[in-house]
Amino acid sequence: MNRRGLLVVVSGFSGSGKGTLMKLLMEKYDNYSLSISATTRSPRPGERDGLEYFFKTQEEFLQMIREDAFIEYARYVDNYYGTPKDYVEKQLDAGKDVILEIEMQGALKVKEKMPQTLLIFVTPPTAEELKRRLVSRGTESEEVVAARMAQAKEESRFMDCYDYILVNETNQEESCMERLHELIQSAHQETSRNEEFIEEMREQLKNI
Ligand code: 5GP
């Protein structure tokens, strides 16, 4: 069977709870690697450089773009975010399933470049619930909440470009994380991801 890792993109509205899902997934299963992005946004309280993100100045980020260090990068609500190339390739080669928790423009760029990528979109059950979660997070100003709701409205136009929609019900993070795990594991067994295995089996059957 196919032993190279699978590249999985998890996107979702800001406030969909995908960060918590990623944390639960990493704690429970050790066959996943979460890629750490670079960003020009300021750290939120409790965030540390090299753990949630590599925090960069605009100048440093632009330099990384010039060095072709990213698989993709995008501007999102006035900041740059990008996926460093090196780490992802190494982890895939080592057979790990690599998860990119990135926004939509980046997700679609990755799918275009690497069509085998699995795209999963996480959403709360309703728009009202999305707003409630953003407000209760308490780390964003009113303007930022409004900007993120406007962004969500725009992003909802492209939700159907994803392979799967994952509804993250309130206080059901654990079961949502298990569904995410099952989706990824099922994808490994899709025929389109096992062409080499199929060919090999055909050859063996010819020669037996
Ligand atoms: P936040 O500022 O809330 O941490 O992230 C804002 C958005 O940027 C989220 O949707 C997050 O998934 C996305 N994001 C984080 N890292 C990357 C990246 O490397 N590339 C892209 N395109 N988006 C990213």
PDB file of all heavy atoms in Angstrom, residues 10-14 18 35-39 41 44 47 53 72-76 81-84 101-107 109 137 140 148 155, ligand 1:
ATOM      1  N   VAL A  10      -6.524  21.535   6.408  1.00  0.00           N
ATOM      2  CA  VAL A  10      -7.713  21.801   7.209  1.00  0.00           C
ATOM      3  C   VAL A  10      -7.920  23.312   7.243  1.00  0.00           C
ATOM      4  O   VAL A  10      -7.063  24.049   7.718  1.00  0.00           O
ATOM      5  CB  VAL A  10      -7.566  21.245   8.640  1.00  0.00           C
ATOM      6  CG1 VAL A  10      -8.797  21.601   9.471  1.00  0.00           C
ATOM      7  CG2 VAL A  10      -7.366  19.734   8.619  1.00  0.00           C
ATOM      8  N   SER A  11      -9.027  23.752   6.686  1.00  0.00           N
ATOM      9  CA  SER A  11      -9.394  25.171   6.749  1.00  0.00           C
ATOM     10  C   SER A  11     -10.701  25.279   7.508  1.00  0.00           C
ATOM     11  O   SER A  11     -11.358  24.276   7.791  1.00  0.00           O
ATOM     12  CB  SER A  11      -9.629  25.772   5.363  1.00  0.00           C
ATOM     13  OG  SER A  11      -8.525  25.624   4.529  1.00  0.00           O
ATOM     14  N   GLY A  12     -11.088  26.498   7.773  1.00  0.00           N
ATOM     15  CA  GLY A  12     -12.365  26.712   8.437  1.00  0.00           C
ATOM     16  C   GLY A  12     -12.453  28.173   8.783  1.00  0.00           C
ATOM     17  O   GLY A  12     -11.422  28.843   8.851  1.00  0.00           O
ATOM     18  N   PHE A  13     -13.654  28.656   9.014  1.00  0.00           N
ATOM     19  CA  PHE A  13     -13.795  30.051   9.412  1.00  0.00           C
ATOM     20  C   PHE A  13     -12.969  30.289  10.663  1.00  0.00           C
ATOM     21  O   PHE A  13     -12.840  29.405  11.504  1.00  0.00           O
ATOM     22  CB  PHE A  13     -15.263  30.357   9.717  1.00  0.00           C
ATOM     23  CG  PHE A  13     -16.205  30.022   8.599  1.00  0.00           C
ATOM     24  CD1 PHE A  13     -17.287  29.201   8.810  1.00  0.00           C
ATOM     25  CD2 PHE A  13     -15.990  30.536   7.321  1.00  0.00           C
ATOM     26  CE1 PHE A  13     -18.173  28.893   7.786  1.00  0.00           C
ATOM     27  CE2 PHE A  13     -16.861  30.237   6.282  1.00  0.00           C
ATOM     28  CZ  PHE A  13     -17.943  29.411   6.524  1.00  0.00           C
ATOM     29  N   SER A  14     -12.422  31.497  10.765  1.00  0.00           N
ATOM     30  CA  SER A  14     -11.736  31.866  11.992  1.00  0.00           C
ATOM     31  C   SER A  14     -12.775  31.791  13.111  1.00  0.00           C
ATOM     32  O   SER A  14     -13.816  32.444  13.025  1.00  0.00           O
ATOM     33  CB  SER A  14     -11.182  33.281  11.835  1.00  0.00           C
ATOM     34  OG  SER A  14     -10.571  33.671  13.023  1.00  0.00           O
ATOM     35  N   LYS A  18     -11.076  24.958  14.753  1.00  0.00           N
ATOM     36  CA  LYS A  18     -10.147  24.004  14.129  1.00  0.00           C
ATOM     37  C   LYS A  18      -8.814  23.913  14.883  1.00  0.00           C
ATOM     38  O   LYS A  18      -8.191  22.867  14.890  1.00  0.00           O
ATOM     39  CB  LYS A  18      -9.926  24.327  12.644  1.00  0.00           C
ATOM     40  CG  LYS A  18      -9.336  25.683  12.378  1.00  0.00           C
ATOM     41  CD  LYS A  18      -9.400  26.004  10.903  1.00  0.00           C
ATOM     42  CE  LYS A  18      -8.669  27.301  10.582  1.00  0.00           C
ATOM     43  NZ  LYS A  18      -9.105  28.475  11.361  1.00  0.00           N
ATOM     44  N   SER A  35       2.156  21.152  10.416  1.00  0.00           N
ATOM     45  CA  SER A  35       3.131  22.108   9.904  1.00  0.00           C
ATOM     46  C   SER A  35       2.990  23.432  10.668  1.00  0.00           C
ATOM     47  O   SER A  35       1.880  23.864  10.966  1.00  0.00           O
ATOM     48  CB  SER A  35       2.874  22.308   8.415  1.00  0.00           C
ATOM     49  OG  SER A  35       3.429  23.506   7.973  1.00  0.00           O
ATOM     50  N   ILE A  36       4.117  24.037  11.003  1.00  0.00           N
ATOM     51  CA  ILE A  36       4.082  25.345  11.689  1.00  0.00           C
ATOM     52  C   ILE A  36       4.339  26.434  10.647  1.00  0.00           C
ATOM     53  O   ILE A  36       5.363  26.424   9.971  1.00  0.00           O
ATOM     54  CB  ILE A  36       5.123  25.411  12.818  1.00  0.00           C
ATOM     55  CG1 ILE A  36       4.858  24.288  13.829  1.00  0.00           C
ATOM     56  CG2 ILE A  36       5.094  26.777  13.503  1.00  0.00           C
ATOM     57  CD1 ILE A  36       5.957  24.124  14.870  1.00  0.00           C
ATOM     58  N   SER A  37       3.393  27.350  10.525  1.00  0.00           N
ATOM     59  CA  SER A  37       3.477  28.398   9.502  1.00  0.00           C
ATOM     60  C   SER A  37       4.303  29.573   9.988  1.00  0.00           C
ATOM     61  O   SER A  37       4.507  29.753  11.192  1.00  0.00           O
ATOM     62  CB  SER A  37       2.078  28.908   9.183  1.00  0.00           C
ATOM     63  OG  SER A  37       1.296  27.883   8.639  1.00  0.00           O
ATOM     64  N   ALA A  38       4.729  30.382   9.035  1.00  0.00           N
ATOM     65  CA  ALA A  38       5.308  31.688   9.351  1.00  0.00           C
ATOM     66  C   ALA A  38       4.211  32.732   9.191  1.00  0.00           C
ATOM     67  O   ALA A  38       3.336  32.584   8.336  1.00  0.00           O
ATOM     68  CB  ALA A  38       6.454  31.980   8.400  1.00  0.00           C
ATOM     69  N   THR A  39       4.236  33.744  10.026  1.00  0.00           N
ATOM     70  CA  THR A  39       3.248  34.829   9.888  1.00  0.00           C
ATOM     71  C   THR A  39       3.838  36.167  10.313  1.00  0.00           C
ATOM     72  O   THR A  39       4.761  36.208  11.125  1.00  0.00           O
ATOM     73  CB  THR A  39       1.982  34.563  10.733  1.00  0.00           C
ATOM     74  OG1 THR A  39       1.030  35.606  10.489  1.00  0.00           O
ATOM     75  CG2 THR A  39       2.266  34.517  12.219  1.00  0.00           C
ATOM     76  N   ARG A  41       1.666  38.367  11.649  1.00  0.00           N
ATOM     77  CA  ARG A  41       0.795  38.924  12.687  1.00  0.00           C
ATOM     78  C   ARG A  41       1.466  38.816  14.061  1.00  0.00           C
ATOM     79  O   ARG A  41       2.366  38.019  14.263  1.00  0.00           O
ATOM     80  CB  ARG A  41      -0.598  38.280  12.655  1.00  0.00           C
ATOM     81  CG  ARG A  41      -0.778  37.044  13.477  1.00  0.00           C
ATOM     82  CD  ARG A  41      -2.222  36.952  14.025  1.00  0.00           C
ATOM     83  NE  ARG A  41      -2.606  35.593  14.396  1.00  0.00           N
ATOM     84  CZ  ARG A  41      -2.160  34.950  15.478  1.00  0.00           C
ATOM     85  NH1 ARG A  41      -1.235  35.479  16.269  1.00  0.00           N
ATOM     86  NH2 ARG A  41      -2.597  33.725  15.745  1.00  0.00           N
ATOM     87  N   ARG A  44      -0.644  36.254  19.904  1.00  0.00           N
ATOM     88  CA  ARG A  44      -1.715  36.466  20.888  1.00  0.00           C
ATOM     89  C   ARG A  44      -1.163  36.055  22.253  1.00  0.00           C
ATOM     90  O   ARG A  44      -0.191  35.310  22.315  1.00  0.00           O
ATOM     91  CB  ARG A  44      -2.919  35.574  20.558  1.00  0.00           C
ATOM     92  CG  ARG A  44      -3.587  35.930  19.257  1.00  0.00           C
ATOM     93  CD  ARG A  44      -5.001  35.341  19.169  1.00  0.00           C
ATOM     94  NE  ARG A  44      -5.566  35.594  17.859  1.00  0.00           N
ATOM     95  CZ  ARG A  44      -5.783  34.650  16.931  1.00  0.00           C
ATOM     96  NH1 ARG A  44      -5.502  33.391  17.178  1.00  0.00           N
ATOM     97  NH2 ARG A  44      -6.291  34.968  15.758  1.00  0.00           N
ATOM     98  N   GLU A  47       0.865  32.706  23.018  1.00  0.00           N
ATOM     99  CA  GLU A  47       1.495  32.095  21.835  1.00  0.00           C
ATOM    100  C   GLU A  47       3.012  32.287  21.888  1.00  0.00           C
ATOM    101  O   GLU A  47       3.494  33.353  22.268  1.00  0.00           O
ATOM    102  CB  GLU A  47       0.942  32.727  20.548  1.00  0.00           C
ATOM    103  CG  GLU A  47      -0.465  32.253  20.226  1.00  0.00           C
ATOM    104  CD  GLU A  47      -0.996  32.808  18.904  1.00  0.00           C
ATOM    105  OE1 GLU A  47      -0.519  33.876  18.458  1.00  0.00           O
ATOM    106  OE2 GLU A  47      -1.899  32.171  18.336  1.00  0.00           O
ATOM    107  N   TYR A  53       3.337  29.500  15.748  1.00  0.00           N
ATOM    108  CA  TYR A  53       3.809  30.089  14.484  1.00  0.00           C
ATOM    109  C   TYR A  53       5.283  30.432  14.623  1.00  0.00           C
ATOM    110  O   TYR A  53       5.798  30.555  15.730  1.00  0.00           O
ATOM    111  CB  TYR A  53       3.086  31.421  14.187  1.00  0.00           C
ATOM    112  CG  TYR A  53       1.672  31.305  13.684  1.00  0.00           C
ATOM    113  CD1 TYR A  53       0.597  31.571  14.531  1.00  0.00           C
ATOM    114  CD2 TYR A  53       1.411  30.958  12.360  1.00  0.00           C
ATOM    115  CE1 TYR A  53      -0.718  31.480  14.064  1.00  0.00           C
ATOM    116  CE2 TYR A  53       0.099  30.879  11.895  1.00  0.00           C
ATOM    117  CZ  TYR A  53      -0.949  31.132  12.743  1.00  0.00           C
ATOM    118  OH  TYR A  53      -2.246  31.041  12.285  1.00  0.00           O
ATOM    119  N   GLU A  72       3.124  27.647  -0.210  1.00  0.00           N
ATOM    120  CA  GLU A  72       2.127  28.664  -0.553  1.00  0.00           C
ATOM    121  C   GLU A  72       2.218  29.742   0.500  1.00  0.00           C
ATOM    122  O   GLU A  72       2.687  29.513   1.595  1.00  0.00           O
ATOM    123  CB  GLU A  72       0.715  28.059  -0.593  1.00  0.00           C
ATOM    124  CG  GLU A  72       0.216  27.473   0.731  1.00  0.00           C
ATOM    125  CD  GLU A  72      -0.140  28.493   1.794  1.00  0.00           C
ATOM    126  OE1 GLU A  72      -0.725  29.528   1.436  1.00  0.00           O
ATOM    127  OE2 GLU A  72       0.181  28.274   2.974  1.00  0.00           O
ATOM    128  N   TYR A  73       1.747  30.921   0.152  1.00  0.00           N
ATOM    129  CA  TYR A  73       1.560  31.967   1.161  1.00  0.00           C
ATOM    130  C   TYR A  73       0.375  32.812   0.731  1.00  0.00           C
ATOM    131  O   TYR A  73      -0.028  32.775  -0.434  1.00  0.00           O
ATOM    132  CB  TYR A  73       2.824  32.826   1.344  1.00  0.00           C
ATOM    133  CG  TYR A  73       3.180  33.641   0.134  1.00  0.00           C
ATOM    134  CD1 TYR A  73       2.673  34.935  -0.025  1.00  0.00           C
ATOM    135  CD2 TYR A  73       3.991  33.120  -0.865  1.00  0.00           C
ATOM    136  CE1 TYR A  73       2.986  35.678  -1.150  1.00  0.00           C
ATOM    137  CE2 TYR A  73       4.297  33.853  -1.988  1.00  0.00           C
ATOM    138  CZ  TYR A  73       3.790  35.138  -2.122  1.00  0.00           C
ATOM    139  OH  TYR A  73       4.081  35.862  -3.243  1.00  0.00           O
ATOM    140  N   ALA A  74      -0.204  33.516   1.704  1.00  0.00           N
ATOM    141  CA  ALA A  74      -1.374  34.340   1.382  1.00  0.00           C
ATOM    142  C   ALA A  74      -1.434  35.512   2.331  1.00  0.00           C
ATOM    143  O   ALA A  74      -0.844  35.478   3.420  1.00  0.00           O
ATOM    144  CB  ALA A  74      -2.647  33.502   1.513  1.00  0.00           C
ATOM    145  N   ARG A  75      -2.146  36.552   1.922  1.00  0.00           N
ATOM    146  CA  ARG A  75      -2.450  37.662   2.811  1.00  0.00           C
ATOM    147  C   ARG A  75      -3.827  37.416   3.367  1.00  0.00           C
ATOM    148  O   ARG A  75      -4.749  37.076   2.624  1.00  0.00           O
ATOM    149  CB  ARG A  75      -2.456  38.967   2.022  1.00  0.00           C
ATOM    150  CG  ARG A  75      -1.263  39.807   2.241  1.00  0.00           C
ATOM    151  CD  ARG A  75      -1.437  41.153   1.589  1.00  0.00           C
ATOM    152  NE  ARG A  75      -1.752  42.176   2.599  1.00  0.00           N
ATOM    153  CZ  ARG A  75      -0.815  42.775   3.326  1.00  0.00           C
ATOM    154  NH1 ARG A  75       0.459  42.494   3.163  1.00  0.00           N
ATOM    155  NH2 ARG A  75      -1.155  43.684   4.225  1.00  0.00           N
ATOM    156  N   TYR A  76      -3.989  37.569   4.673  1.00  0.00           N
ATOM    157  CA  TYR A  76      -5.282  37.319   5.314  1.00  0.00           C
ATOM    158  C   TYR A  76      -5.480  38.377   6.396  1.00  0.00           C
ATOM    159  O   TYR A  76      -4.641  38.477   7.305  1.00  0.00           O
ATOM    160  CB  TYR A  76      -5.279  35.904   5.913  1.00  0.00           C
ATOM    161  CG  TYR A  76      -6.564  35.500   6.602  1.00  0.00           C
ATOM    162  CD1 TYR A  76      -7.606  34.916   5.888  1.00  0.00           C
ATOM    163  CD2 TYR A  76      -6.729  35.704   7.971  1.00  0.00           C
ATOM    164  CE1 TYR A  76      -8.777  34.548   6.526  1.00  0.00           C
ATOM    165  CE2 TYR A  76      -7.897  35.336   8.620  1.00  0.00           C
ATOM    166  CZ  TYR A  76      -8.916  34.758   7.887  1.00  0.00           C
ATOM    167  OH  TYR A  76     -10.088  34.391   8.518  1.00  0.00           O
ATOM    168  N   TYR A  81       0.703  34.981   5.810  1.00  0.00           N
ATOM    169  CA  TYR A  81       0.844  33.646   6.403  1.00  0.00           C
ATOM    170  C   TYR A  81       1.435  32.744   5.328  1.00  0.00           C
ATOM    171  O   TYR A  81       1.013  32.817   4.170  1.00  0.00           O
ATOM    172  CB  TYR A  81      -0.516  33.068   6.799  1.00  0.00           C
ATOM    173  CG  TYR A  81      -1.245  33.812   7.891  1.00  0.00           C
ATOM    174  CD1 TYR A  81      -2.005  34.940   7.598  1.00  0.00           C
ATOM    175  CD2 TYR A  81      -1.187  33.379   9.209  1.00  0.00           C
ATOM    176  CE1 TYR A  81      -2.691  35.619   8.600  1.00  0.00           C
ATOM    177  CE2 TYR A  81      -1.866  34.050  10.218  1.00  0.00           C
ATOM    178  CZ  TYR A  81      -2.610  35.174   9.913  1.00  0.00           C
ATOM    179  OH  TYR A  81      -3.285  35.842  10.894  1.00  0.00           O
ATOM    180  N   GLY A  82       2.383  31.874   5.681  1.00  0.00           N
ATOM    181  CA  GLY A  82       2.949  30.977   4.676  1.00  0.00           C
ATOM    182  C   GLY A  82       3.383  29.641   5.255  1.00  0.00           C
ATOM    183  O   GLY A  82       3.731  29.532   6.428  1.00  0.00           O
ATOM    184  N   THR A  83       3.341  28.618   4.393  1.00  0.00           N
ATOM    185  CA  THR A  83       3.720  27.249   4.797  1.00  0.00           C
ATOM    186  C   THR A  83       5.147  26.952   4.352  1.00  0.00           C
ATOM    187  O   THR A  83       5.404  26.859   3.147  1.00  0.00           O
ATOM    188  CB  THR A  83       2.800  26.220   4.095  1.00  0.00           C
ATOM    189  OG1 THR A  83       1.440  26.574   4.334  1.00  0.00           O
ATOM    190  CG2 THR A  83       3.069  24.814   4.594  1.00  0.00           C
ATOM    191  N   PRO A  84       6.077  26.791   5.299  1.00  0.00           N
ATOM    192  CA  PRO A  84       7.458  26.479   4.919  1.00  0.00           C
ATOM    193  C   PRO A  84       7.551  25.114   4.215  1.00  0.00           C
ATOM    194  O   PRO A  84       6.945  24.140   4.641  1.00  0.00           O
ATOM    195  CB  PRO A  84       8.200  26.452   6.262  1.00  0.00           C
ATOM    196  CG  PRO A  84       7.338  27.246   7.191  1.00  0.00           C
ATOM    197  CD  PRO A  84       5.924  26.994   6.740  1.00  0.00           C
ATOM    198  N   GLU A 101      -2.903  23.709   8.618  1.00  0.00           N
ATOM    199  CA  GLU A 101      -4.103  24.425   9.068  1.00  0.00           C
ATOM    200  C   GLU A 101      -4.013  25.812   8.462  1.00  0.00           C
ATOM    201  O   GLU A 101      -3.397  26.712   9.035  1.00  0.00           O
ATOM    202  CB  GLU A 101      -4.110  24.471  10.598  1.00  0.00           C
ATOM    203  CG  GLU A 101      -5.396  25.019  11.155  1.00  0.00           C
ATOM    204  CD  GLU A 101      -5.213  25.596  12.541  1.00  0.00           C
ATOM    205  OE1 GLU A 101      -4.489  25.000  13.372  1.00  0.00           O
ATOM    206  OE2 GLU A 101      -5.784  26.672  12.781  1.00  0.00           O
ATOM    207  N   ILE A 102      -4.576  25.974   7.268  1.00  0.00           N
ATOM    208  CA  ILE A 102      -4.381  27.223   6.533  1.00  0.00           C
ATOM    209  C   ILE A 102      -5.697  27.736   5.954  1.00  0.00           C
ATOM    210  O   ILE A 102      -6.677  26.993   5.887  1.00  0.00           O
ATOM    211  CB  ILE A 102      -3.328  27.071   5.407  1.00  0.00           C
ATOM    212  CG1 ILE A 102      -3.805  26.127   4.325  1.00  0.00           C
ATOM    213  CG2 ILE A 102      -1.991  26.634   5.984  1.00  0.00           C
ATOM    214  CD1 ILE A 102      -2.829  26.002   3.151  1.00  0.00           C
ATOM    215  N   GLU A 103      -5.688  29.002   5.577  1.00  0.00           N
ATOM    216  CA  GLU A 103      -6.946  29.590   5.073  1.00  0.00           C
ATOM    217  C   GLU A 103      -7.145  29.207   3.604  1.00  0.00           C
ATOM    218  O   GLU A 103      -6.322  28.544   2.986  1.00  0.00           O
ATOM    219  CB  GLU A 103      -7.018  31.094   5.358  1.00  0.00           C
ATOM    220  CG  GLU A 103      -5.877  31.925   4.823  1.00  0.00           C
ATOM    221  CD  GLU A 103      -5.802  31.891   3.358  1.00  0.00           C
ATOM    222  OE1 GLU A 103      -6.694  32.475   2.724  1.00  0.00           O
ATOM    223  OE2 GLU A 103      -4.846  31.314   2.799  1.00  0.00           O
ATOM    224  N   MET A 104      -8.273  29.684   3.089  1.00  0.00           N
ATOM    225  CA  MET A 104      -8.783  29.192   1.817  1.00  0.00           C
ATOM    226  C   MET A 104      -7.918  29.471   0.575  1.00  0.00           C
ATOM    227  O   MET A 104      -7.705  28.581  -0.234  1.00  0.00           O
ATOM    228  CB  MET A 104     -10.142  29.824   1.645  1.00  0.00           C
ATOM    229  CG  MET A 104     -10.925  29.297   0.541  1.00  0.00           C
ATOM    230  SD  MET A 104     -12.607  29.825   0.808  1.00  0.00           S
ATOM    231  CE  MET A 104     -13.336  28.438   1.622  1.00  0.00           C
ATOM    232  N   GLN A 105      -7.419  30.711   0.448  1.00  0.00           N
ATOM    233  CA  GLN A 105      -6.617  31.000  -0.756  1.00  0.00           C
ATOM    234  C   GLN A 105      -5.427  30.058  -0.817  1.00  0.00           C
ATOM    235  O   GLN A 105      -5.110  29.505  -1.872  1.00  0.00           O
ATOM    236  CB  GLN A 105      -6.017  32.405  -0.726  1.00  0.00           C
ATOM    237  CG  GLN A 105      -6.932  33.564  -0.532  1.00  0.00           C
ATOM    238  CD  GLN A 105      -6.102  34.793  -0.099  1.00  0.00           C
ATOM    239  OE1 GLN A 105      -5.231  35.243  -0.825  1.00  0.00           O
ATOM    240  NE2 GLN A 105      -6.372  35.306   1.089  1.00  0.00           N
ATOM    241  N   GLY A 106      -4.775  29.877   0.338  1.00  0.00           N
ATOM    242  CA  GLY A 106      -3.612  28.988   0.415  1.00  0.00           C
ATOM    243  C   GLY A 106      -4.006  27.554   0.107  1.00  0.00           C
ATOM    244  O   GLY A 106      -3.315  26.834  -0.611  1.00  0.00           O
ATOM    245  N   ALA A 107      -5.161  27.130   0.658  1.00  0.00           N
ATOM    246  CA  ALA A 107      -5.635  25.755   0.457  1.00  0.00           C
ATOM    247  C   ALA A 107      -5.818  25.465  -1.032  1.00  0.00           C
ATOM    248  O   ALA A 107      -5.378  24.425  -1.538  1.00  0.00           O
ATOM    249  CB  ALA A 107      -6.960  25.564   1.189  1.00  0.00           C
ATOM    250  N   LYS A 109      -4.451  26.994  -3.524  1.00  0.00           N
ATOM    251  CA  LYS A 109      -3.152  26.991  -4.212  1.00  0.00           C
ATOM    252  C   LYS A 109      -2.447  25.646  -4.033  1.00  0.00           C
ATOM    253  O   LYS A 109      -1.845  25.117  -4.961  1.00  0.00           O
ATOM    254  CB  LYS A 109      -2.247  28.096  -3.657  1.00  0.00           C
ATOM    255  CG  LYS A 109      -2.527  29.462  -4.241  1.00  0.00           C
ATOM    256  CD  LYS A 109      -1.460  30.445  -3.776  1.00  0.00           C
ATOM    257  CE  LYS A 109      -2.081  31.713  -3.233  1.00  0.00           C
ATOM    258  NZ  LYS A 109      -1.210  32.504  -2.387  1.00  0.00           N
ATOM    259  N   ARG A 137     -14.117  34.567  22.508  1.00  0.00           N
ATOM    260  CA  ARG A 137     -12.668  34.341  22.580  1.00  0.00           C
ATOM    261  C   ARG A 137     -12.001  35.501  23.331  1.00  0.00           C
ATOM    262  O   ARG A 137     -11.007  35.309  24.011  1.00  0.00           O
ATOM    263  CB  ARG A 137     -12.109  34.203  21.149  1.00  0.00           C
ATOM    264  CG  ARG A 137     -10.675  33.834  21.069  1.00  0.00           C
ATOM    265  CD  ARG A 137     -10.369  32.933  19.879  1.00  0.00           C
ATOM    266  NE  ARG A 137     -10.229  33.674  18.638  1.00  0.00           N
ATOM    267  CZ  ARG A 137      -9.993  33.116  17.459  1.00  0.00           C
ATOM    268  NH1 ARG A 137      -9.896  31.800  17.339  1.00  0.00           N
ATOM    269  NH2 ARG A 137      -9.863  33.839  16.391  1.00  0.00           N
ATOM    270  N   GLU A 140      -9.906  39.461  20.524  1.00  0.00           N
ATOM    271  CA  GLU A 140      -9.973  40.297  19.324  1.00  0.00           C
ATOM    272  C   GLU A 140     -10.844  41.523  19.593  1.00  0.00           C
ATOM    273  O   GLU A 140     -11.830  41.439  20.321  1.00  0.00           O
ATOM    274  CB  GLU A 140     -10.608  39.513  18.154  1.00  0.00           C
ATOM    275  CG  GLU A 140     -10.199  38.062  18.038  1.00  0.00           C
ATOM    276  CD  GLU A 140      -8.824  37.869  17.426  1.00  0.00           C
ATOM    277  OE1 GLU A 140      -8.026  38.831  17.429  1.00  0.00           O
ATOM    278  OE2 GLU A 140      -8.544  36.750  16.967  1.00  0.00           O
ATOM    279  N   ARG A 148     -13.501  39.438  10.542  1.00  0.00           N
ATOM    280  CA  ARG A 148     -13.469  37.977  10.389  1.00  0.00           C
ATOM    281  C   ARG A 148     -14.839  37.416   9.982  1.00  0.00           C
ATOM    282  O   ARG A 148     -14.911  36.434   9.258  1.00  0.00           O
ATOM    283  CB  ARG A 148     -12.907  37.332  11.651  1.00  0.00           C
ATOM    284  CG  ARG A 148     -11.444  37.730  11.792  1.00  0.00           C
ATOM    285  CD  ARG A 148     -10.575  36.927  12.672  1.00  0.00           C
ATOM    286  NE  ARG A 148      -9.188  37.332  12.387  1.00  0.00           N
ATOM    287  CZ  ARG A 148      -8.117  36.655  12.683  1.00  0.00           C
ATOM    288  NH1 ARG A 148      -8.231  35.499  13.284  1.00  0.00           N
ATOM    289  NH2 ARG A 148      -6.925  37.097  12.382  1.00  0.00           N
ATOM    290  N   GLU A 155     -15.611  33.598   2.320  1.00  0.00           N
ATOM    291  CA  GLU A 155     -15.099  32.220   2.210  1.00  0.00           C
ATOM    292  C   GLU A 155     -16.213  31.203   1.956  1.00  0.00           C
ATOM    293  O   GLU A 155     -15.984  30.170   1.329  1.00  0.00           O
ATOM    294  CB  GLU A 155     -14.347  31.834   3.490  1.00  0.00           C
ATOM    295  CG  GLU A 155     -12.998  32.507   3.603  1.00  0.00           C
ATOM    296  CD  GLU A 155     -12.288  32.187   4.903  1.00  0.00           C
ATOM    297  OE1 GLU A 155     -12.907  31.645   5.832  1.00  0.00           O
ATOM    298  OE2 GLU A 155     -11.085  32.474   4.987  1.00  0.00           O
TER     299      GLU A 155
HETATM  300  P1  5GP B   1      -4.893  33.213  12.957  1.00  0.00           P
HETATM  301  O1  5GP B   1      -4.379  34.620  12.842  1.00  0.00           O
HETATM  302  O2  5GP B   1      -6.296  33.169  13.510  1.00  0.00           O
HETATM  303  O3  5GP B   1      -3.941  32.318  13.698  1.00  0.00           O
HETATM  304  O4  5GP B   1      -4.972  32.643  11.477  1.00  0.00           O
HETATM  305  C1  5GP B   1      -5.694  33.304  10.493  1.00  0.00           C
HETATM  306  C2  5GP B   1      -5.895  32.390   9.309  1.00  0.00           C
HETATM  307  O5  5GP B   1      -4.649  32.121   8.648  1.00  0.00           O
HETATM  308  C3  5GP B   1      -6.468  31.042   9.704  1.00  0.00           C
HETATM  309  O6  5GP B   1      -7.519  30.737   8.800  1.00  0.00           O
HETATM  310  C4  5GP B   1      -5.303  30.113   9.543  1.00  0.00           C
HETATM  311  O7  5GP B   1      -5.743  28.806   9.234  1.00  0.00           O
HETATM  312  C5  5GP B   1      -4.571  30.750   8.377  1.00  0.00           C
HETATM  313  N1  5GP B   1      -3.183  30.323   8.237  1.00  0.00           N
HETATM  314  C6  5GP B   1      -2.314  29.952   9.204  1.00  0.00           C
HETATM  315  N2  5GP B   1      -1.144  29.600   8.669  1.00  0.00           N
HETATM  316  C7  5GP B   1      -1.254  29.731   7.315  1.00  0.00           C
HETATM  317  C8  5GP B   1      -0.372  29.502   6.194  1.00  0.00           C
HETATM  318  O8  5GP B   1       0.777  29.071   6.318  1.00  0.00           O
HETATM  319  N3  5GP B   1      -0.849  29.775   4.954  1.00  0.00           N
HETATM  320  C9  5GP B   1      -2.108  30.238   4.755  1.00  0.00           C
HETATM  321  N4  5GP B   1      -2.493  30.441   3.505  1.00  0.00           N
HETATM  322  N5  5GP B   1      -2.973  30.459   5.783  1.00  0.00           N
HETATM  323  C10 5GP B   1      -2.550  30.206   7.039  1.00  0.00           C
END
